[in-house]
Amino acid sequence: MKTIPQDIARVLISTDDLQRRVQELADQISADYQDQNPLLVCVLKGGYVFLADLTRAMSINHAVDFMAISSYGSGAVSSGVVRILKDLDRDISGRHVLLVEDIIDTGHTIAYILDNLRTRQPASLRVCTLLSKPSRREIPLPVDYIGFEIPNEFVIGYGLDYAERYRNLSYIGVLKPEVYS
Ligand code: PRP
């Protein structure tokens, strides 16, 4: 059993609860996209752990691709500034595309990516996020698959970082405020 780093105030979502919910999402996505060979687009970096578990829990054929977006810098508050650091490898016209995110906070990142990908004429375009902070939303967004709605706390682990640390934790934890303030 690994010890919890001292910067973590408490565990918000346990490893078991995460794994259970990821399997539920994978089952639902597998049912919804039966015979459609969807393309799962992971938004780096935070989405990589969720994508790795989600894709292995799915029971249908699918492909994966990656985008890297810059929005926050290394701080804790969204600037709303978004730019593409790495684009998709392939054309998505006619493909069923599912965007996979670790967290939707203000919504600026996903809104930007949706606008951008829509111009490439995919057959369908939906969003799957592990975490959502509805109280922080600045842009109203339809989100098709949500793992957990969470309160406005600074969460890390399972792909989410603070200053590039803690992405490797198998659970979602709340960071102590004195670490980032
Ligand atoms: C996080 C997260 C989303 C975005 C959500 O990425 O992965 O992409 O912020 O915030 P928003 O809804 O307010 O736009 P971050 O910029 O921390 O980069 P990272 O994924 O590389 O850690």
Side-chain angles (χ1 to χ4, degrees):
M1 182 77 181
K2 287 185 209 162
T3 53
I4 294 177
Q6 62 177 14
D7 294 348
I8 314 278
R10 67 179 200 285
V11 175
L12 184 67
I13 307 170
S14 70
T15 306
D16 283 354
D17 286 349
L18 279 173
Q19 294 301 328
R20 204 172 303 123
R21 185 70 184 123
V22 170
Q23 184 63 58
E24 286 174 2
L25 290 170
D27 289 344
Q28 195 184 340
I29 291 165
S30 297
D32 291 352
Y33 287 91
Q34 194 76 47
D35 302 321
Q36 293 187 337
N37 188 24
L39 176 69
L40 271 58
V41 172
C42 173
V43 184
L44 295 169
K45 299 177 194 170
Y48 79 98
V49 176
F50 178 39
L51 179 85
D53 282 349
L54 186 69
T55 188
R56 287 178 296 170
M58 283 173 58
S59 57
I60 58 166
N61 288 330
H62 63 281
V64 298
D65 204 344
F66 298 87
M67 285 182 91
I69 301 292
S70 163
S71 58
Y72 275 31
S74 60
V77 181
S78 174
S79 64
V81 176
V82 178
R83 90 196 144 92
I84 294 180
L85 302 177
K86 184 221 169 288
D87 207 341
L88 299 175
D89 290 342
R90 299 269 164 81
D91 181 24
I92 57 166
S93 68
R95 289 297 301 262
H96 292 281
V97 174
L98 179 63
L99 271 176
V100 177
E101 263 283 23
D102 54 339
I103 187 165
I104 300 178
D105 191 342
T106 65
H108 285 287
T109 306
I110 278 292
Y112 175 86
I113 298 173
L114 286 173
D115 281 351
N116 184 288
L117 295 187
R118 221 173 267 124
T119 66
R120 308 182 197 190
Q121 287 159 341
S124 68
L125 184 56
R126 291 188 192 158
V127 176
C128 174
T129 186
L130 179 69
L131 306 176
S132 175
K133 281 183 181 173
S135 66
R136 292 263 307 155
R137 202 75 90 248
E138 292 174 8
I139 300 182
L141 285 171
V143 183
D144 305 278
Y145 305 94
I146 298 177
F148 301 89
E149 292 199 335
I150 61 168
N152 184 23
E153 296 187 279
F154 199 117
V155 287
I156 43 78
Y158 202 72
L160 289 96
D161 75 311
Y162 171 63
E164 297 300 330
R165 300 202 302 270
Y166 314 114
R167 293 194 197 273
N168 58 307
L169 300 178
S170 62
Y171 52 87
I172 300 289
V174 176
L175 200 59
K176 288 181 180 168
E178 60 262 34
V179 178
Y180 57 86
S181 54

